[in-house]
C-alpha cells in the first residue's frame, strides 16, 4: 500500500534521524580520541552481511520493527585473524528466523513459548533460530537451534505484561488500508467507464430533426 509505505519511510526518518552517535567520556584527550576512532572503525565494519554501516543497521532495525512488529539482532563474535578493528559484528534477522512452532515444557522446569526459551524463573535463556530464512531454505530441511539469549537482542514494543512477541505496528489499520485500496480501484474503474460513454444518432427521423435544427 503506497500510504503505508510512505508512513514507514516517515517513521524510519523520524525515529532514526542521524542515528546513535556516541562520544567518549575519557578525561584524557588521547584516550578519548582513540576510543572515538575505534568506534568509527567498528561502525563501518559492524554489519555481518557486509552491506551497510551502523547507521544503516539502525534504519533497518526500525523498518523491520514497523513492518513485522519485532526484530532480532544477533551478536556474532569474530576471530582476531579476521582482521576487524573490533572482533564483533551485528546480524539483523527478521522474526521469521525464530521457530514460532516450538513451544512446551522442559524437564528442568523451564519452558519454551513460540521459539523463546525461559528458565524456571521466567528469564529468557535462549532463542531457537533457523540458520537460514524459512522462505529461502532452497529445499533444505529447517532445523532450529538454541542461541544463548546473551547473544541475541530482541526488540519489540511491549503492549501488555507477559507479552513474548511483537505485534506489527500496522495491525490495527491493515483492514482499513485494504478497504482504501479497494475504494481507489473502484473509483478508477468508474472513471474509466464514464470516459467510454458516447452518444450515437441513428434513424432517418433523427437525421431530419438534426437537419432542421441546423437550418434554423
Amino acid at each position: 500500500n503506497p500510504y503505508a509505505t510512505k508512513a514507514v519511510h516517515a517513521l524510519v526518518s523520524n525515529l532514526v534521524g542521524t542515528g546513535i552517535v556516541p562520544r567518549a567520556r575519557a578525561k584524557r584527550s588521547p584516550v578519548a580520541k582513540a576510543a572515538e576512532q575505534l568506534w568509527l572503525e567498528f561502525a563501518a565494519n559492524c554489519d555481518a552481511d557486509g552491506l551497510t554501516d551502523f547507521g544503516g543497521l539502525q534504519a533497518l532495525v526500525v523498518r523491520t520493527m514497523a513492518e513485522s512488529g519485532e526484530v532480532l539482532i544477533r551478536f556474532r563474535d569474530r576471530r582476531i585473524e579476521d582482521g576487524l578493528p573490533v572482533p564483533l559484528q551485528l546480524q539483523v534477522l527478521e522474526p521469521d528466523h525464530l521457530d514460532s512452532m516450538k513451544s512446551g515444557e522442559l524437564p528442568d522446569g523451564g519452558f519454551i513459548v513460540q521459539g523463546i526459551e525461559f528458565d524456571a524463573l521466567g528469564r529468557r535463556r535462549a532463542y531457537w533460530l533457523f540458520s537460514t530464512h524459512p522462505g529461502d531454505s532452497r529445499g533444505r530441511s529447517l532445523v532450529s537451534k538454541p542461541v544463548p539469549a546473551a547473544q541475541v537482542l530482541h526488540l519489540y514494543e511491549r503492549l501488555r505484561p507477559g507479552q513474548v512477541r511483537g505485534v506489527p505496528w500496522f495491525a490495527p489499520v491493515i483492514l482499513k488500508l485494504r478497504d482504501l485500496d479497494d475504494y481507489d480501484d473502484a473509483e478508477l474503474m468508474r472513471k474509466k467507464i464514464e470516459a467510454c460513454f458516447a452518444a450515437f444518432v441513428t434513424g432517418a427521423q433523427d437525421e431530419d430533426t438534426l437537419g432542421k435544427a441546423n437550418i434554423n
Side-chain angles (χ1 to χ4, degrees), residues 59-77:
L60 182 61
V61 166
V62 173
R63 180 179 299 278
T64 306
M65 283 186 62
E67 294 178 352
S68 302
E70 58 185 342
V71 62
L72 300 170
I73 304 172
R74 185 174 178 181
F75 301 105
R76 307 303 297 257
D77 295 326

Side-chain angles (χ1 to χ4, degrees), residues 81-164:
E81 294 79 10
D82 293 334
L84 295 171
V86 177
L88 173 68
Q89 288 187 314
L90 307 176
Q91 184 182 17
V92 179
L93 301 174
E94 288 184 316
D96 293 338
H97 281 268
L98 196 58
D99 189 357
S100 59
M101 300 299 295
K102 184 174 289 295
S103 298
E105 301 289 335
L106 297 176
D108 61 353
F111 55 94
I112 303 176
V113 179
Q114 298 183 29
I116 303 176
E117 182 176 333
F118 298 84
D119 61 14
L121 298 178
R123 297 173 297 190
R124 300 191 178 215
R125 184 164 58 188
Y127 289 85
W128 289 78
L129 302 177
F130 296 115
S131 58
T132 60
H133 192 282
D136 190 31
S137 60
R138 294 183 289 274
R140 295 178 295 180
S141 60
L142 290 173
V143 179
S144 60
K145 297 181 180 180
V147 177
Q151 300 179 11
V152 178
L153 183 61
H154 186 197
L155 296 180
Y156 66 96
E157 184 181 8
R158 294 184 65 186
L159 301 176
R160 60 179 179 82
Q163 180 179 344
V164 175

